[in-house]
């Protein structure tokens, strides 16, 4: 049973940076694709970024391209989301998720395991 735990959220001013971490435990981690999603207040969950198990394929939502970077450290069974040039519209609860079939999906329905979420608040 894979378990995911996010950390690194917080309050930051517009233009600032945060790095989110997603630590996995429970089974072999490196074969899974991982995604970061977010849910802003009053809105549905949306994909932010995803990465294949090898790291060779990545996906970014248009709204974060050039500002966010997804990467992994297999030795630590951890995935990261580096968020730079943050904007107030990035304010949301951020979730990491694992796709046990190794795809780089953009739909939340393609992901099997979810973390509890971490709040990111960007002030203007």
């Amino acid at each position: 049973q894979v378990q995911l735990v996010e950390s690194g959220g917080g309050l930051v001013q517009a233009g600032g940076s945060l790095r989110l971490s997603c630590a996995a435990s429970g089974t072999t981690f490196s074969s899974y694709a991982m995604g970061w999603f977010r849910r802003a207040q009053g809105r549905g969950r949306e994909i932010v970024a995803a990465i294949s198990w090898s790291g060779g394929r990545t996906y970014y939502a248009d709204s974060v391209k050039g500002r966010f970077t997804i990467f992994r450290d297999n030795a630590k069974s951890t995935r990261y989301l580096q968020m730079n040039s943050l904007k107030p519209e990035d304010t949301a609860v951020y979730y990491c998720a694992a796709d046990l079939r190794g795809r780089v999906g953009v739909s939340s329905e393609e992901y099997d395991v979810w973390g509890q979420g971490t709040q990111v608040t960007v002030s203007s």
Side-chain angles (χ1 to χ4, degrees), residues 29-32 34 52-55 71-80:
F29 177 68
S30 61
S31 61
Y32 301 155
M34 299 292 293
S52 64
W53 68 270
S54 68
F71 60 101
R72 87 252 189 277
D73 184 339
N74 285 342
K76 295 181 178 180
S77 295
T78 301
R79 299 296 187 263
Y80 302 92

Side-chain angles (χ1 to χ4, degrees), residues 6-11 17-21 36 81 83 118-120:
E6 302 100 334
S7 61
L11 173 65
S17 298
L18 284 174
R19 178 177 291 184
L20 304 183
S21 300
W36 284 97
L81 185 68
M83 306 186 294
T118 185
Q119 177 71 47
V120 171

Side-chain angles (χ1 to χ4, degrees), residues 40-57:
Q41 191 171 7
R43 301 185 64 177
R45 188 174 293 181
E46 64 176 359
I47 182 75
V48 176
I51 188 168
S52 64
W53 68 270
S54 68
R57 283 196 300 150

